[in-house]
Amino acid sequence: MNVKRLSRISLAVAAALTVGQAFAATRGGQMVFGRYADSLFLDPVLNDANLDIWILTNLYDTLLQPTNDGKGVQPGLASSYTTAKDGKSMVLTLRPGLKFADGSALTAGDVKWSLDRARNPEAGAWNSSLASISSITASGNKVTLNLKQPDPTLPAALATFNAAIMPQKLFTAAPGKNDAEKAKAFADKPIGSGPFVLSEWKRGSYMVMKRNPYYWKKGDDGKALPYLDSVRFEIIPDDNTRILKLQAGELQLAEFIPLSRVAELKADSRINMTLFPSTKVNSILMNNRPKLNDGTENPLSDPNVRQALNYAANKDALIQVVTYGTGKPMKSYMSSTTPLFDAKQPGFPYDLAKAKALMAASKYKNGFELTVLATSGSADDLALLTALQQMWGAIGVKLKIEQLDAATKTARYRANDFQMRTAAWTNDINDPSQITTYYAVFDNIESVHTGFKSAEIDKLFAQSQQELNAAKRAAQYQQIQSLYLKAAPIVYLYETPYPVAMSKKVKGFFQIPLGNNLFASAYLEK
Amino acid sequence: MHASYVIRRLLQIIPTFLAVMLVVFLLVRLLPGDPASAILGDRATAEIVERTNRELGLDRPLPVQFGVFVRNLLQGDLGDSISLKIPVLRLIGERLPTTLFLTVYAALLGVLMAVPLAVLAAVRRNTWVDALIRAVFQVGLSLPVFYVALQLLSLLGARLGWFPIGGYGETFGEHLYHLFLPALTLGLNLAAILVRTLRNSIIEVLTAEYVDFARAKGLRSRVIMIRHVLRNALIATVTLLGLNIGALIGGAVITETVFAIPGVGRLMVDAIFGRDYPVIQGLTLTFAVIVSLVFLITDLIHARLDPRAELS
């Protein structure tokens, strides 16, 4: 036996041991998670905010589920699905023996009822994701979705929180005259089929989820998940307090760590500072219309100017200043974790000479003054905009910062009464269609109120919404991303991760790029 | 005692409430930004925002909305929180005891710190002891509440581990333990305000003739201090304390955030940012009731301490 072979064997043994360790998940115990704010309303259809969305999947399960890397979907309550050749129907097969957290059976009838409720245009803000469904039939363990037209986004839509399966009987038995009232009563003590069930909720203070003994998914040890007995969410709005509590061992995880403190926590030997890849893109939205609301001429209607502002923004410097090096430059309007993101997109690398040339080619050779809406109290907004003031000063653009509280900022922006505003976006669904309808398609909300309109993009998008051939759909999205980049209706800034600080004992916790916090496979190492 | 006075004062509170409610009702509606947009975020289409406003009854004329609000109020219904979708009364019922606990706790700590130190400063006036006490509280007064809160947390909570970092606990004992640092933060601030006034009043009383007389009678200085000096010096301080209870509840907004305490201060901040009209209105009403009651109680105590004060 030569040395090389020996080392190869020892490597193999070491690898086997590592795998063995990965299987040795510890069962039991409570994990305490520090959240910056409490959930509002735990109904999958009528909820509105990330505060609800990001934990709903622990309580309610969906037919399919997003994968942890954000790139696709995997089986959930449905073990498989098949799409008809003409793309006009989809059949889903439920796993055998599915149960809700109270022990009652989860049937195809519950699935039909839940999806019908979710796609009702009168209910909630999310029904459009299931708009292609014309009718649903349920029989045995099969559910058939009949479609108005082929819909490539449907698997991702079925893996999204609003398509969660709820117990029809329990919901309809809840007190209340109509769906909205019943939802209020039911969401107070929700019963779903997710890995956990809500056991206690003291609003503004804490929430406890107990393990659902009837959960279908198995752990690496062959027994039912989740590993943990319970998860406790503590509401701690102040960033510093959340970090102190984690350092004192009163929490095992703390979310929304300020990016300014990431480096310090990375150096802390007791803490595993994790930056989960996200779908979050940070950009500046520009008003693309020829005139502003007050009737004055808007320089941002000139694509040369918009491109110039993009080239004159030094992303690498901004990433250092605002995100402390944790971000990466945006190359497309969608994040690099979004399916069908085109890795070949060049984005707008910093190029001052090009920016100056573009300004010279525009009507505004001598520069102009520009006003940007910022969120008051946001240190990030101020750091970003004061840096941009200097960068844009180099091409003769004078930037004025107007600070407003979030609700006022939204009101101004909804009324198209702005020239520029800071903005961030995260996807709710594992498909590029959502951000595209908002950012690039005029008809929804005027391309996030920028007023940008491209007939070509509108046409390509409409086609892509029915294109079942994956390669063709990818090509359509590649084109949309290129057209958008050329028109530059927004200032491309950077993508940022989800910063979660964890005790070194925490294993198997995931925050997926959509933001969902997954505790099903999480455990505390002894 | 003065039962008719108390009843008259309580009845006077009613028109005050109506005026407060009308002002708040109009003010929150004058703010730019509507609740539907605030809850739905900036992605919602105009159609969904409009539908939500209709469901919330916010599309109706203001007088109608105010009428509905007053009618519900008379039936003891403050409406449902727009973002949390639960009754405002229940929300306030869950959160108010926490804030009151904190306020009373802070007031007690503040008084317990202020009185002995003020006496000490007054008795040793113009010595280094007096200077030190005044200087420390002067610094305390000028430091922002959140800064003091964070320093206490890092030192006594994180570094020494004597107190939990935030939270509220379940039992009375746990509340006392958990709320000690936040109550101390607010109490220090209050003590800083009280010490100066109290010290000056004590000095004033100490130089009064009746104190000389008491001394001449041969009463011990501790008796003089408690029976004569403090009783009279406290009159001004009680009024000041009453006035500051309102400020204490205001200060709770910051302490509740830093110390993660589920009180009404934090609820109010969230409601304002979320344009949650029913919660803002309900809380304003509650604060108005509390402040009115505190003022009434202050007046009664004042009358007790100072027979010259007439209750009319």
Side-chain angles (χ1 to χ4, degrees):
Chain A
M1 191 189 278
N2 61 30
V3 178
K4 220 172 179 180
R5 191 154 160 222
L6 182 70
S7 64
R8 216 178 288 157
I9 289 171
S10 55
L11 267 178
V13 171
L17 279 175
T18 325
V19 173
Q21 270 171 354
F23 281 116
T26 318
R27 284 193 168 263
Q30 183 179 64
M31 205 174 258
V32 189
F33 182 87
R35 298 184 80 189
Y36 80 101
D38 200 359
S39 286
L40 304 169
F41 182 48
L42 296 174
D43 182 279
V45 173
L46 302 180
N47 74 80
D48 305 296
N50 281 344
L51 287 170
D52 301 321
I53 294 170
W54 289 3
I55 68 151
L56 275 174
T57 40
N58 291 294
L59 302 174
Y60 302 99
D61 227 338
T62 43
L63 293 170
L64 304 174
Q65 292 178 346
T67 53
N68 284 357
D69 64 359
K71 294 289 182 193
V73 296
Q74 57 184 341
L77 293 173
S79 53
S80 66
Y81 68 93
T82 51
T83 309
K85 268 221 175 84
D86 64 355
K88 298 286 277 287
S89 66
M90 183 192 267
V91 180
L92 295 119
T93 309
L94 296 180
R95 287 172 197 280
L98 288 172
K99 282 179 177 160
F100 287 108
D102 69 335
S104 63
L106 185 157
T107 67
D110 291 309
V111 174
K112 174 182 158 50
W113 175 82
S114 299
L115 296 183
D116 277 338
R117 177 172 181 253
R119 70 192 186 90
N120 178 357
E122 285 302 307
W126 311 107
N127 61 73
S128 61
S129 68
L130 299 169
S132 63
I133 299 175
S134 62
S135 68
I136 302 174
T137 52
S139 84
N141 65 341
K142 299 242 190 280
V143 178
T144 307
L145 310 178
N146 301 302
L147 308 182
K148 294 170 196 155
Q149 70 271 333
D151 182 1
T153 71
L154 199 54
L158 293 173
T160 304
F161 61 90
N162 63 316
I165 307 308
M166 299 169 76
Q168 180 184 4
K169 266 190 208 136
L170 295 176
F171 187 94
T172 41
K177 290 193 293 288
N178 51 34
D179 185 85
E181 282 185 18
K182 283 176 186 294
K184 279 184 194 177
F186 186 82
D188 224 15
K189 289 192 174 68
I191 301 283
S193 65
F196 292 91
V197 59
L198 187 70
S199 72
E200 211 184 334
W201 188 7
K202 212 152 180 224
R203 279 166 210 273
S205 185
Y206 64 89
M207 185 192 277
V208 182
M209 305 189 306
K210 263 189 344 207
R211 97 187 271 278
N212 167 11
Y214 303 101
Y215 190 52
W216 58 272
K217 207 187 262 184
K218 299 271 185 287
D220 291 330
D221 54 4
K223 288 187 270 183
L225 284 177
Y227 296 121
L228 291 166
D229 288 336
S230 58
V231 176
R232 186 183 167 97
F233 295 106
E234 293 267 2
I235 313 306
I236 306 149
D238 189 83
D239 296 335
N240 296 308
T241 312
R242 233 164 28 247
I243 293 170
L244 280 177
K245 244 173 133 65
L246 177 77
Q247 287 171 329
E250 292 176 29
L251 298 176
Q252 275 91 48
L253 306 105
E255 65 172 357
F256 284 102
I257 300 298
L259 297 174
S260 57
R261 299 198 58 185
V262 165
E264 167 204 340
L265 290 174
K266 271 195 168 154
D268 190 326
S269 61
R270 298 161 300 173
I271 285 165
N272 180 9
M273 181 66 236
T274 311
L275 299 171
F276 288 105
S278 85
T279 53
K280 189 168 182 184
V281 282
N282 305 267
S283 54
I284 292 178
L285 306 180
M286 294 188 261
N287 190 336
N288 286 224
R289 297 171 187 83
K291 290 232 159 95
L292 296 175
N293 267 19
D294 61 5
T296 53
E297 206 181 329
N298 179 16
L300 298 180
S301 60
D302 184 340
N304 286 319
V305 170
R306 297 198 301 261
Q307 283 201 7
L309 292 170
N310 264 294
Y311 280 117
N314 185 343
K315 277 100 199 156
D316 293 322
L318 293 173
I319 286 168
Q320 285 308 321
V321 170
V322 189
T323 77
Y324 297 82
T326 60
K328 63 176 190 178
M330 272 171 82
K331 296 282 177 70
S332 158
Y333 64 91
M334 61 175 82
S335 71
S336 55
T337 50
T338 307
L340 304 186
F341 161 79
D342 174 23
K344 294 198 190 74
Q345 290 292 319
F348 286 99
Y350 177 57
D351 191 335
L352 192 57
K354 211 165 180 175
K356 282 180 174 162
L358 283 160
M359 281 297 281
S362 78
K363 270 201 296 176
Y364 305 90
K365 294 176 188 56
N366 303 320
F368 54 88
E369 197 179 82
L370 192 57
T371 307
V372 58
L373 306 188
T375 308
S376 63
S378 161
D380 285 355
D381 270 15
L382 262 193
L384 167 72
L385 296 174
T386 41
L388 280 174
Q389 258 172 348
Q390 292 182 12
M391 292 172 187
W392 288 343
I395 55 167
V397 173
K398 191 164 175 269
L399 186 65
K400 260 176 60 187
I401 305 170
E402 191 178 347
Q403 298 194 66
L404 299 169
D405 75 289
T408 309
K409 194 175 156 200
T410 302
R412 286 275 301 274
Y413 148 84
R414 261 189 203 298
N416 300 335
D417 182 17
F418 72 104
Q419 201 167 13
M420 267 188 168
R421 61 160 287 183
T422 54
W425 168 281
T426 48
N427 297 345
D428 299 301
I429 173 169
N430 237 358
D431 190 86
S433 57
Q434 190 197 19
I435 187 169
T436 306
T437 36
Y438 281 96
Y439 270 60
V441 174
F442 185 83
D443 281 345
N444 188 25
I445 53 166
E446 306 184 13
S447 308
V448 279
H449 291 277
T450 57
F452 166 73
K453 192 174 168 90
S454 153
E456 253 177 306
I457 288 183
D458 287 354
K459 198 174 126 208
L460 280 163
F461 179 70
Q463 287 168 355
S464 77
Q465 285 296 81
Q466 299 194 27
E467 182 55 70
L468 293 181
N469 180 310
K472 278 189 191 161
R473 191 164 184 251
Q476 288 160 342
Y477 265 101
Q478 188 174 20
Q479 232 183 320
I480 292 174
Q481 289 169 80
S482 297
L483 288 167
Y484 196 85
L485 189 86
K486 215 174 136 202
I490 62 172
V491 181
Y492 288 58
L493 296 174
Y494 35 77
E495 302 181 20
T496 42
Y498 298 130
V500 183
M502 311 192 251
S503 142
K504 285 249 159 96
K505 287 184 181 163
V506 172
K507 306 284 169 187
F509 167 82
F510 262 100
Q511 185 169 17
I512 65 170
L514 300 176
N516 305 8
N517 291 303
L518 305 186
F519 293 92
S521 309
Y523 62 93
L524 285 167
E525 206 174 53
K526 285 255 160 73
Chain B
M1 71 185 262
H2 315 290
S4 64
Y5 169 76
V6 174
I7 291 169
R8 205 167 60 240
R9 279 284 300 265
L10 286 175
L11 286 176
Q12 276 170 4
I13 291 176
I14 294 172
T16 315
F17 288 161
L18 276 177
V20 167
M21 290 328 299
L22 183 63
V23 170
V24 171
F25 179 88
L26 292 174
L27 271 184
V28 291
R29 278 160 183 80
L30 280 176
L31 288 174
D34 57 314
S37 297
I39 333 165
L40 298 168
D42 27 66
R43 299 181 186 185
T45 59
E47 200 188 343
I48 292 172
V49 171
E50 208 178 292
R51 193 175 71 209
T52 309
N53 276 325
R54 200 169 54 238
E55 282 165 9
L56 297 171
L58 297 172
D59 58 334
R60 302 160 83 182
L62 281 187
V64 176
Q65 286 187 47
F66 190 65
V68 171
F69 168 64
V70 173
R71 194 188 64 209
N72 291 342
L73 190 62
L74 291 175
Q75 292 165 353
D77 177 9
L78 290 173
D80 284 4
S81 154
I82 291 173
S83 57
L84 302 172
K85 301 187 170 61
I86 59 170
V88 171
L89 214 54
R90 186 176 132 196
L91 259 183
I92 295 177
E94 281 170 6
R95 303 279 193 99
L96 187 62
T98 313
T99 301
L100 290 182
F101 194 110
L102 176 60
T103 309
V104 172
Y105 198 176
L108 276 176
L109 287 183
V111 170
L112 284 178
M113 283 185 280
V115 172
L117 288 171
V119 170
L120 190 62
V123 172
R124 303 266 175 89
R125 63 180 171 278
N126 301 328
T127 67
W128 66 270
V129 179
D130 181 26
L132 183 71
I133 291 171
R134 290 166 67 190
V136 166
F137 280 107
Q138 191 56 44
V139 171
L141 201 57
S142 48
L143 289 176
V145 170
F146 76 88
Y147 179 79
V148 176
L150 271 177
Q151 292 309 314
L152 287 175
L153 255 191
S154 346
L155 180 68
L156 301 178
R159 207 160 311 155
L160 298 172
W162 291 352
F163 295 96
I165 299 156
Y168 182 49
E170 312 271 327
T171 61
F172 183 79
E174 277 177 25
H175 296 340
L176 277 182
Y177 182 46
H178 277 83
L179 293 184
F180 180 75
L181 290 184
L184 184 65
T185 307
L186 290 172
L188 280 170
N189 202 273
L190 181 68
I193 299 167
L194 296 184
V195 159
R196 201 203 318 219
T197 327
L198 193 54
R199 172 188 169 276
N200 292 346
S201 322
I202 294 172
I203 291 172
E204 210 174 288
V205 179
L206 277 176
T207 53
E209 277 177 18
Y210 66 88
V211 174
D212 287 338
F213 179 67
R215 229 176 249 133
K217 271 201 319 193
L219 280 179
R220 277 183 309 165
S221 53
R222 181 176 300 173
V223 177
I224 296 173
M225 184 53 90
I226 292 171
R227 197 180 296 165
H228 297 285
V229 180
L230 261 185
R231 186 187 161 110
N232 287 300
L234 274 176
I235 293 169
T237 313
V238 164
T239 315
L240 194 66
L241 181 65
L243 287 173
N244 272 286
I245 295 288
L248 220 48
I249 295 179
V253 172
I254 297 161
T255 22
E256 282 175 10
T257 304
V258 174
F259 290 97
I261 302 162
V264 285
R266 239 173 72 200
L267 189 63
M268 186 65 149
V269 174
D270 291 345
I272 291 171
F273 280 123
R275 299 288 189 268
D276 200 335
Y277 296 166
V279 176
I280 300 175
Q281 287 161 185
L283 280 176
T284 313
L285 184 73
T286 312
F287 291 152
V289 173
I290 293 173
V291 170
S292 304
L293 289 179
V294 169
F295 283 178
L296 175 61
I297 293 168
T298 309
D299 285 352
L300 293 175
I301 295 176
H302 189 219
R304 248 299 171 63
L305 289 172
D306 185 359
R308 286 168 305 174
E310 291 229 350
L311 295 178
S312 56

